[in-house]
Amino acid sequence: QQQVKQSPQSLIVQKGGISIINCAYENTAFDYFPWYQQFPGKGPALLIAIRPDVSEKKEGRFTISFNKSAKQFSLHIMDSQPGDSATYFCAASRGSTLGRLYFGRGTQLTVWP
Amino acid sequence: SQTIHQWPATLVQPVGSPLSLECTVEGTSNPNLYWYRQAAGRGLQLLFYSVGIGQISSEVPQNLSASRPQDRQFILSSKKLLLSDSGFYLCAWSVGTATEAFFGQGTRLTVV
């Protein structure tokens, strides 16, 4: 059973546009929600993360929006660049489980120049 | 700084052959260690995790096993590989109660 559902599966955005990836979860015990960026043939790298006590977190061009009541969170990439082309994974974990992550299936982002 | 090493980067093995993938972490003590598998279109699935030497927990039943013979060494093994074991295997680590997990570069395993 997929504990974190991610959409869309693929996304094509023009350079300078906004990329939006959405995730939803069911387990209300989750209390940590990271996003990972993965380039082909490489391991995922932590991009940005949020905890449910805040509704938004911004780091540079990357913003996580979190809706606790709807059990949804999303990644916004502002001013998308060709170098942002990668696969993005959302994930969730419980603080009591020491970093064990439940991942979405990933979104392949392509940014056209 | 902490680094994680995983090898080999790619591996092609025949069905029924054994498997041993190794992961080591440098720059930290007593890390929590994880093995994930990434199948095409299915995201990353946690296979095993370990909070200390000799302590292994399995998340899903499968044809694989894991061992942690040293504090910073995590090994993924199989006695007889199946075609369905093909995938991208990733080792990861975290420290203490921190929830951030950091990944190695992965091993692409193809079972033929």
Coordinates of all heavy atoms in Angstrom, one line a residue, chain B residues 1-2 25-31 71-72 93-95:
Chain B
S1 N 33.5 15.9 7.3 CA 32.1 15.7 6.9 C 31.8 14.2 6.6 O 32.7 13.4 6.4 CB 31.9 16.5 5.6 OG 32.7 16.0 4.6
Q2 N 30.6 13.9 6.7 CA 30.2 12.5 6.5 C 30.1 12.2 5.0 O 29.6 13.0 4.2 CB 28.8 12.3 7.2 CG 28.8 12.6 8.7 CD 28.4 14.0 9.0 OE1 28.4 14.9 8.1 NE2 28.2 14.3 10.2
V25 N 30.0 4.0 5.8 CA 29.8 5.4 6.1 C 31.0 5.9 6.8 O 31.6 5.2 7.6 CB 28.6 5.6 7.0 CG1 28.4 7.1 7.3 CG2 27.3 5.1 6.3
E26 N 31.5 7.1 6.5 CA 32.6 7.7 7.1 C 32.2 9.0 7.8 O 31.3 9.7 7.3 CB 33.7 8.0 6.1 CG 34.3 6.7 5.4 CD 35.4 7.1 4.4 OE1 35.6 8.3 4.2 OE2 36.0 6.1 3.8
G27 N 32.9 9.3 8.8 CA 32.7 10.6 9.5 C 31.6 10.7 10.5 O 31.3 11.8 11.0
T28 N 31.1 9.6 10.9 CA 30.1 9.6 11.9 C 30.1 8.2 12.7 O 30.6 7.3 12.2 CB 28.7 9.8 11.3 OG1 27.7 9.9 12.4 CG2 28.3 8.6 10.5
S29 N 29.6 8.2 13.9 CA 29.6 7.0 14.7 C 28.2 6.6 15.0 O 27.3 7.4 15.1 CB 30.3 7.2 16.0 OG 31.7 7.5 15.8
N30 N 28.0 5.3 15.0 CA 26.7 4.7 15.4 C 25.6 5.3 14.5 O 24.5 5.7 15.0 CB 26.4 4.9 16.8 CG 25.2 4.0 17.3 OD1 25.1 2.9 16.8 ND2 24.4 4.5 18.2
P31 N 25.8 5.3 13.2 CA 24.7 5.7 12.3 C 23.5 4.7 12.2 O 23.8 3.5 12.5 CB 25.4 5.9 11.0 CG 26.4 4.8 11.0 CD 26.9 4.8 12.4
D71 N 30.2 -1.1 12.8 CA 29.4 0.0 13.1 C 29.0 0.8 11.8 O 27.9 1.2 11.7 CB 30.1 1.0 14.1 CG 29.3 2.2 14.4 OD1 28.1 2.0 14.7 OD2 29.8 3.3 14.4
R72 N 29.9 0.9 10.9 CA 29.7 1.8 9.7 C 29.6 1.0 8.4 O 29.9 1.5 7.4 CB 30.7 2.9 9.7 CG 30.5 3.9 10.8 CD 31.7 4.9 10.8 NE 32.9 4.3 11.4 CZ 34.1 4.9 11.5 NH1 34.2 6.2 11.1 NH2 35.1 4.3 12.0
W93 N 21.9 6.7 5.4 CA 22.2 6.8 6.8 C 21.5 8.0 7.4 O 21.2 9.0 6.7 CB 23.7 6.8 7.0 CG 24.4 8.1 6.5 CD1 24.9 8.3 5.2 CD2 24.6 9.3 7.2 NE1 25.4 9.6 5.1 CE2 25.3 10.2 6.4 CE3 24.4 9.7 8.6 CZ2 25.6 11.5 6.7 CZ3 24.8 11.0 8.9 CH2 25.4 11.8 8.0
S94 N 21.3 7.9 8.7 CA 20.9 9.0 9.5 C 21.5 8.8 10.9 O 22.2 7.8 11.2 CB 19.3 9.0 9.6 OG 18.9 7.9 10.4
V95 N 21.4 9.9 11.7 CA 22.1 9.8 13.0 C 21.1 10.1 14.1 O 20.3 11.0 14.0 CB 23.2 10.9 13.0 CG1 23.8 11.0 14.4 CG2 24.2 10.6 12.0

